Amino acid sequence: MPLHRLLIALLLVLAAPLALGADNPLSVPAITLSTNPEGQQEYSVSLQILLIMTALSFIPAFVMLMTSFTRIIIVFSILRQALGLQQTPSNQILVGLALFLTMFIMAPVFDQVNRDALQPYLNEQMTAQDAVAKAQVPIKNFMLAQTRASDLDLFMRLSKRTDIASADEAPLTILVPAFVTSELKTAFQIGFMIFIPFLIIDLVVASVLMAMGMMMLSPLIISLPFKIMLFVLVDGWALIIGTLAGSFGGV
């Protein structure tokens, strides 16, 4: 089916319930706005579902830019490069390991969000706006704990906001890029420390091969098994994962 016909069919499917609702007086309006006894405005359930479904498309960005995922996946990528392995472990394995390690590190934050925001909202003890505001608190606290003051000051100056008195008042539009910048710097610092021992092995192997006159033989072929052996003997995966988890301060 051509693309334009597929788009027209999707539009007809989406518009059909609205058209039927206009003719049926018993149907529930798709978009309604009501005021609760406390004076706050609430949207209809259908509109809330639409907003939730739209928010689901931002989950990958949320996972990558507002959690520990960025630091973890960058360190894993640098580790694979330092070992000299191009496709082992594969990208799927590294991303999967990074996701589960992210869930482990972020578990206290997610538990607080569930306890303070999600469960009260599901029990109809607070509105959606209050639940979103409550959910932001533990996430912002996590990001603030990992964000350097210099990076936060940089984006505050770039935003030209003069009404922010402290870091706790920084909105997500300023805090998220500052957090990502700090995470990139920290990840590269950890990656640099990981790269040094493998670089020394490459230099030693290259020097030995040159001294033996075997200049036509690639040093990477000889150094690769030594780097793998070193990494296995020191229990490298446990060290890397433990260091990454500990670098977040036991959040």
Side-chain angles (χ1 to χ4, degrees):
M1 180 183 294
L3 180 59
H4 67 279
R5 293 185 179 180
L6 180 60
L7 293 176
I8 293 175
L10 290 175
L11 290 176
L12 290 176
V13 172
L14 294 175
L18 298 178
L20 293 175
D23 297 332
N24 187 0
L26 299 179
S27 63
V28 179
I31 300 176
T32 59
L33 183 63
S34 60
T35 304
N36 58 21
E38 298 178 357
Q40 297 179 341
Q41 293 181 336
E42 294 183 353
Y43 296 98
S44 61
V45 176
S46 58
L47 183 57
Q48 292 182 21
I49 294 175
L50 177 61
L51 294 176
I52 292 174
M53 296 301 295
T54 304
L56 291 177
S57 61
F58 293 96
I59 288 181
F62 166 78
V63 172
M64 289 187 294
L65 302 180
M66 299 177 66
T67 65
S68 58
F69 181 83
T70 301
R71 183 187 305 185
I72 296 171
I73 194 63
I74 290 177
V75 171
F76 283 167
S77 300
I78 294 177
L79 171 63
R80 185 173 64 179
Q81 186 70 25
L83 284 170
L85 302 172
Q86 301 300 324
Q87 299 295 332
T88 305
S90 63
N91 292 332
Q92 292 84 350
I93 294 177
L94 291 183
V95 172
L97 180 58
L99 283 174
F100 278 97
L101 188 56
T102 299
M103 293 171 58
F104 172 78
I105 295 173
M106 299 293 297
V109 178
F110 293 154
D111 289 341
Q112 186 176 353
V113 171
N114 179 65
R115 182 178 63 253
D116 298 342
L118 181 58
Q119 292 303 322
Y121 174 71
L122 295 178
N123 295 331
E124 298 182 355
Q125 297 175 356
M126 65 172 56
T127 62
Q129 293 86 345
D130 293 337
V132 172
K134 284 285 187 180
Q136 289 183 9
V137 174
I139 297 176
K140 290 180 66 174
N141 291 337
F142 169 80
M143 290 192 292
L144 283 172
Q146 310 302 325
T147 303
R148 292 177 174 83
S150 58
D151 295 329
L152 190 59
D153 292 339
L154 169 64
F155 284 94
M156 282 187 177
R157 292 197 307 270
L158 293 176
S159 65
K160 299 179 181 180
R161 293 283 298 272
T162 59
D163 57 333
I164 302 176
S166 62
D168 296 334
E169 300 178 1
L172 290 178
T173 53
I174 295 178
L175 183 56
V176 171
F179 169 74
V180 174
T181 303
S182 295
E183 286 295 282
L184 290 174
K185 184 176 181 179
T186 303
F188 276 91
Q189 288 176 342
I190 298 175
F192 172 77
M193 299 303 297
I194 293 174
F195 221 107
I196 290 178
F198 300 111
L199 179 62
I200 294 175
I201 293 178
D202 288 333
L203 291 175
V204 171
V205 171
S207 300
V208 171
L209 291 178
M210 185 172 295
M212 296 176 62
M214 304 174 65
M215 293 176 291
M216 300 301 294
L217 182 62
S218 174
L220 295 178
I221 299 177
I222 306 301
S223 64
L224 179 59
F226 288 100
K227 291 189 289 187
I228 295 178
M229 180 183 64
L230 174 65
F231 190 71
V232 172
L233 289 178
V234 300
D235 198 7
W237 284 113
L239 288 175
I240 296 297
I241 294 176
T243 301
L244 285 172
S247 65
F248 291 94
V251 177

